[in-house]
Amino acid sequence: QDNPRKHLRRGGRKKREMSGVKFAMMAVPLMVGLYMKNAVDTENEDTIMYARIFFICGKVIEACLFAFLYFRITQNTSDKTVEVSEKDMQPPNFLANVLGLEEEDEDEVKEKLTYGEYDMRVLLSEVKQMVLQTCIIALIHAQWGVLIPMVVSVLMALLNKPDNALVRIYIKGEKTSSDLKRPFKPNNAYAAMMGNNKKAKKKKEKKGNKKKKKKAH
């Protein structure tokens, strides 16, 4: 018979391995950016041309991926529903998290959506972010001729896609994973780190409250 403790150990080991892979993937774009800054002639005409081609190809791949996801989501006829607030549909505010300004509103109005409707809203939000990012980086390049953001942004976008919730559900077929529960959690390592910090703070607060109650008794 299988020992349940062994399964827990295996699960914990897999999670640690996955988190290590995520951080390694995050480091790749940064290393490429540093390499380009120190070892690549970014004013060379050939380098500029290759960087532009890489940027355009990366954005075309991303757009094709979004189009495929759109097609797959329209085929989702599930009657299952999820309750979401306006805050759930917005990207996480990292600055507010760092400064401790973000507060959870208990009186938030929640809307009931089917899985297909929710997934479509998430997809449209991601498309808007991609378009905005593309426009900003293109303007920076046109104004100052900077190449590094073009290359790094494409690498970050494509390396994060395998961990994207919609990609995992509609392309990789991962429908039973606990971390794919709607509404989706942020899929980047920084957001996860901030989430872990919040959990740790809540645990400390609970322990402190328990100690106060014991002293009161």
Side-chain angles (χ1 to χ4, degrees):
Q1 292 182 355
D2 291 334
N3 190 335
R5 289 185 179 179
K6 286 184 179 179
H7 286 294
L8 289 171
R9 288 195 201 108
R10 285 174 192 167
R13 196 180 303 148
K14 283 182 181 178
K15 284 183 180 179
R16 287 193 295 270
E17 287 174 0
M18 288 299 294
S19 62
V21 170
K22 287 179 186 178
F23 279 108
M25 288 172 69
M26 276 184 65
V28 170
L30 298 175
M31 290 172 68
V32 171
L34 288 171
Y35 175 77
M36 287 184 67
K37 183 179 179 182
N38 297 318
V40 177
D41 182 6
T42 54
E43 295 181 1
N44 182 279
E45 290 184 5
D46 289 337
T47 304
I48 294 170
M49 181 185 68
Y50 291 136
R52 287 173 178 171
I53 292 171
F54 181 78
F55 181 71
I56 292 168
C57 289
K59 292 304 172 183
V60 168
I61 291 170
E62 202 173 357
C64 290
L65 180 64
F66 284 140
F68 182 72
L69 286 171
Y70 178 87
F71 173 73
R72 291 297 302 272
I73 293 171
T74 55
Q75 294 181 322
N76 188 343
T77 57
S78 174
D79 294 328
K80 292 180 179 179
T81 59
V82 59
E83 290 188 349
V84 295
S85 63
E86 188 178 346
K87 188 178 178 182
D88 292 327
M89 304 306 301
Q90 295 174 353
N93 188 335
F94 299 142
L95 183 61
N97 280 330
V98 171
L99 298 176
L101 300 175
E102 194 172 32
E103 295 181 357
E104 295 182 4
D105 296 327
E106 295 180 358
D107 299 329
E108 277 185 315
V109 178
K110 294 199 173 184
E111 182 182 3
K112 187 178 284 188
L113 302 171
T114 64
Y115 279 11
E117 290 171 339
Y118 171 74
D119 294 347
M120 186 61 73
R121 287 196 187 184
V122 172
L123 178 66
L124 293 175
S125 175
E126 291 180 3
V127 170
K128 287 177 184 177
Q129 287 180 33
M130 187 267 285
V131 171
L132 180 62
Q133 184 192 64
T134 302
C135 292
I136 291 171
I137 291 172
L139 285 171
I140 290 172
H141 175 65
Q143 185 70 30
W144 293 288
V146 182
L147 299 183
I148 295 174
M150 290 200 302
V151 176
V152 171
S153 66
V154 168
L155 286 173
M156 288 182 71
L158 296 181
L159 288 173
N160 279 326
K161 284 295 179 282
D163 197 42
N164 180 281
L166 296 178
V167 170
R168 291 174 63 188
I169 292 170
Y170 290 99
I171 296 178
K172 297 169 75 176
E174 299 179 27
K175 295 182 180 179
T176 57
S177 298
S178 59
D179 60 334
L180 291 177
K181 186 178 178 182
R182 294 167 176 86
F184 303 133
K185 295 176 182 177
N187 69 336
N188 58 74
Y190 183 80
M193 181 178 68
M194 295 309 301
N196 290 336
N197 287 342
K198 278 188 174 182
K199 286 180 183 178
K201 284 181 181 178
K202 284 182 180 179
K203 283 183 180 179
K204 285 183 180 179
E205 286 176 2
K206 285 182 180 178
K207 285 182 180 179
N209 291 335
K210 285 181 180 178
K211 287 179 180 179
K212 285 180 181 178
K213 285 180 181 179
K214 285 180 181 180
K215 286 180 179 178
H217 288 299

